[in-house]
Amino acid sequence: DVYKRQTEAVAAALLWGDENLDAEKTACIVAPDHAASIRVARKSGYSEVGLATYMGEPTMVMERSRFGKQPR
């Protein structure tokens, strides 16, 4: 199904980034009313950190620590 393929694609990209980029955290932005994208982001280790505006629209900002670890 599409949800499973999206989750697998995000997981592969995040694994590559965790292994190859020197970043302790990554962020993503999601439309707050797009439940499927929020579900994929949460399953990938992202947590909501706030709301912002992007291109005039409300936007959820989410962050994830490297290798999906939660900050201490």
Side-chain angles (χ1 to χ4, degrees):
D1 89 329
V2 172
Y3 170 67
K4 183 178 178 184
R5 287 192 304 268
Q6 291 170 341
T7 302
E8 290 171 353
V10 170
L14 290 173
L15 179 61
W16 182 91
D18 286 348
E19 293 176 346
N20 293 283
L21 302 176
D22 187 28
E24 288 303 314
K25 290 193 287 187
T26 56
C28 68
I29 57 173
V30 181
D33 60 347
H34 201 277
S37 294
I38 294 168
R39 192 169 57 241
V40 169
R42 286 188 176 142
K43 188 167 184 178
S44 301
Y46 285 91
S47 298
E48 183 178 353
V49 294
L51 295 173
T53 302
Y54 178 71
M55 298 186 71
E57 297 293 327
T59 304
M60 180 185 295
V61 180
M62 303 179 85
E63 287 185 351
R64 173 189 168 276
S65 295
R66 184 180 226 167
F67 293 109
K69 294 178 184 169
Q70 294 302 316
R72 296 180 190 163

